[in-house]
């Protein structure tokens, strides 16, 4: 069975998504997610100009060979644009293989290692009171693990923080697409943040008790010694993890963090290959792999990095924001269900408009996700609905310090 054609579909129901649809000469179709938030058109062009023309005539079953062909064949390796494009092809071919076999993808990866995937939801608030309301709202929706983010006194605008809507029917959109031709600018003050965050967790533990798994994302904003300070200050509150405590390009920086704190660390949502994890995993500098199938070259390398991590008792915590499309989310749910060293799955809930474009077999019940048992990935694209939403420029924010210096965020 050969690939007959491939097509890039751009749609923007409530944010932009780049999807690859591969069709075989037997009429089987597969979907892959290539969405790169804020740089969508670069991946769409990479795919349509440099990848789609290479696909017709290739054996659709040779997933590993196609992956290596696109990765090694380009000569120019790694990078988010290249790896998102390769990811889309890889996912689409796994989707096709599952459909041909009549099996959900997780069955092809070894079968289920558990009944469902523990998911964490995102609570946030501009005040401690609104944060508490948000945590209550998430617990009512069934979540059994919660990420906690808040506004910080002295910082005017912080990405990913919003109050929970008062009416229960309204969607909680705390990371809306930043539509517009330029990014908005936010501000940052590390000292204010380091002072404030422990008081937030003190409040949450007092109200919700010791058992609820709590997570926090520092979003690459700290230097290693600051990250170590935060990890130490948060130890009394027994976090499930502290995420992206420092930008991980400086991998040795994690040694310093690790020497000072036992707060578990999760890193890697911006990584795009297993090689980015080489030092962090082999030196056991992290506890959770944050990669997303979409930005990491697809199902094939995600499975490989988790097997490497397993040798060091490191578990998964795949990146599941709403800018990973339902196709990308499904890919990692199948991997998470199959691997032994699953840890937790991020789950942000796509908008109703997105769910009308991408029909998912995935379920969320009592705090657990399951990819469903439809053959392949279990996601179908409604192309007519997709065509109703054209691409709109949208950017992640840019952050500056008080003196105007651009900062990590
Ligand atoms: C965040 C993301 O999910 C997370 O942990 O860090 O929301 C991230 O900001 C976006 O995926 C960026 O596109
Ligand atoms: Mg994050």
């Amino acid at each position: 069975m050969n690939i007959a054609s491939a097509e890039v579909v751009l749609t923007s129901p409530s944010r932009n998504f780049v999807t690859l649809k591969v069709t075989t000469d037997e009429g089987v179709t597969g979907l892959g997610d290539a969405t790169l938030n804020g740089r969508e058109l670069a991946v769409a062009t990479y795919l349509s100009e440099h990848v789609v023309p290479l696909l017709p005539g290739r054996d659709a079953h040779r997933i590993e060979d196609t992956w290596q062909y696109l990765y090694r064949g380009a000569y120019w390796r790694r990078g988010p644009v290249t790896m998102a494009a390769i990811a889309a092809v890889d996912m689409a071919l796994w989707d096709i293989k599952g459909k041909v076999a009549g099996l959900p993808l997780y069955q092809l990866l070894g079968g289920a290692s558990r009944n469902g995937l523990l998911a964490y939801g995102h609570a946030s608030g501009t005040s401690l009171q609104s944060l508490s309301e948000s945590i209550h709202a998430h617990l009512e929706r069934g979540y059994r693990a919660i990420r906690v983010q808040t506004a910080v006194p002295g910082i005017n605008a912080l990405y990913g923080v919003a109050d929970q809507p008062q009416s229960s029917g309204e969607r909680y959109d705390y990371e809306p697409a930043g539509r517009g031709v330029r990014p908005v600018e936010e501000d940052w003050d590390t000292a204010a943040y380091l002072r404030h965050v422990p008081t937030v967790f003190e409040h949450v533990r007092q109200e919700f008790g010791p058992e609820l798994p709590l997570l926090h994302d520092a979003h690459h904003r700290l230097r290693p010694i600051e990250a170590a300070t935060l990890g130490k200050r948060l130890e009394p509150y027994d976090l499930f993890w502290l995420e992206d405590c420092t930008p991980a390009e400086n991998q040795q920086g994690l040694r310093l963090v690790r020497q000072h704190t036992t707060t578990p660390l999760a890193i890697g949502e911006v990584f795009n290959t297993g090689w980015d994890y080489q030092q962090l995993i082999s030196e056991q500098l992290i506890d959770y792999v944050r990669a997303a199938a979409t930005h990491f070259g697809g199902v094939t390398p995600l499975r490989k990095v988790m097997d490497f991590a397993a040798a060091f008792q490191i578990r998964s915590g795949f990146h599941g924001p709403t800018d990973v499309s339902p196709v990308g989310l499904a890919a990692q749910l199948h991997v998470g269900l199959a691997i032994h060293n699953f840890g937790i799955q991020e789950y942000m809930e796509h908008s109703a408009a997105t769910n009308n474009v991408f029909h998912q077999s995935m379920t969320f019940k009592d705090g657990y996700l399951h990819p469903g048992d439809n053959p392949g990935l279990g996601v179908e694209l409604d192309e007519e609905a997709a065509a109703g939403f054209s691409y709109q420029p949208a950017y992640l924010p840019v952050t500056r310090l008080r003196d105007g210096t651009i900062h990590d965020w």
Side-chain angles (χ1 to χ4, degrees), residues 37 120 122 147 159 175 217 219 243-244 269 290 319-321 323 346 348 396 409:
N37 197 4
Y120 71 88
H122 289 236
R147 186 181 93 160
Y159 175 77
E175 280 189 9
D217 190 352
H219 234 283
E243 174 184 341
D244 286 333
E269 66 181 48
R290 282 286 289 151
H319 187 210
D323 52 276
E346 179 178 25
M348 275 198 192
L396 286 159
W409 73 275

Side-chain angles (χ1 to χ4, degrees), residues 241-245 264-268 286-290 317:
W241 80 34
L242 171 61
E243 174 184 341
D244 286 333
C245 61
L265 303 175
I267 284 197
I286 56 169
D287 301 281
Y288 295 92
V289 165
R290 282 286 289 151

Side-chain angles (χ1 to χ4, degrees), residues 139-360:
L139 295 177
E140 278 157 30
R141 286 185 56 66
Y143 284 99
R144 291 163 186 256
I146 310 275
R147 186 181 93 160
V148 171
Q149 307 293 127
T150 55
V152 175
I155 298 179
N156 296 321
L158 208 46
Y159 175 77
V161 173
D163 291 335
Q164 189 79 23
Q166 290 305 316
S167 92
S168 60
E170 210 181 317
R171 179 164 175 270
Y172 183 34
D173 199 2
Y174 44 88
E175 280 189 9
R179 284 178 166 164
V181 291
R182 276 175 211 275
V184 297
E185 300 212 350
E186 299 187 339
D187 57 334
W188 183 250
D189 179 338
T190 300
Y193 169 78
L194 291 178
R195 277 194 306 272
H196 185 64
V197 175
T199 67
V200 172
F201 280 90
E202 170 76 30
H203 165 87
V204 173
R205 278 289 176 227
Q206 270 188 12
E207 184 171 349
F208 294 91
E211 281 165 23
L212 181 64
L214 298 176
L215 302 84
H216 179 70
D217 190 352
H219 234 283
H220 326 263
R221 289 169 174 129
L222 307 174
R223 293 181 300 122
I225 196 67
E226 295 161 347
T229 302
L230 181 63
K232 258 177 111 160
R233 287 184 188 169
L234 292 177
E235 278 170 25
Y237 312 111
D238 192 22
L239 263 60
F240 186 95
W241 80 34
L242 171 61
E243 174 184 341
D244 286 333
C245 61
T246 191
E249 291 100 309
N250 172 16
Q251 304 227 330
Q252 294 183 9
L254 268 298
R255 285 191 190 140
L256 192 149
V257 181
R258 210 51 160 172
Q259 279 158 15
H260 290 286
T261 180
T262 54
T263 294
L265 303 175
I267 284 197
E269 66 181 48
V270 299
F271 288 2
N272 40 71
T273 73
W275 289 280
D276 299 331
Y277 278 107
Q278 203 171 15
Q279 184 179 357
L280 297 185
I281 289 178
S282 62
E283 291 190 26
Q284 305 184 78
L285 300 178
I286 56 169
D287 301 281
Y288 295 92
V289 165
R290 282 286 289 151
T294 306
H295 305 128
F296 203 72
V299 168
T300 301
L302 196 62
R303 172 73 205 234
K304 288 181 188 178
V305 78
M306 289 317 303
D307 287 344
F308 175 46
F312 300 90
Q313 294 157 287
I314 293 170
R315 298 190 289 162
S316 68
F318 300 145
H319 187 210
T322 44
D323 52 276
V324 164
S325 89
V327 178
L329 178 65
Q332 58 198 36
L333 294 186
H334 285 280
V335 175
L337 198 65
I339 57 175
H340 178 253
N341 53 333
F342 168 80
I344 200 166
Q345 173 65 48
E346 179 178 25
Y347 182 44
M348 275 198 192
E349 302 187 24
H350 285 106
S351 67
T354 300
N355 292 335
N356 284 336
V357 171
F358 298 94
H359 302 165
Q360 308 178 57

Side-chain angles (χ1 to χ4, degrees), residues 1-4 22 24-25 54-66 93 96-97:
M1 185 182 58
N2 287 339
I3 297 173
V22 175
T24 72
D25 53 11
L54 306 179
L55 297 178
R58 294 190 65 80
D59 182 342
H61 278 305
R62 294 181 62 177
I63 301 176
E64 177 74 29
D65 182 66
T66 298
L93 295 184
I96 288 168
K97 200 183 275 296

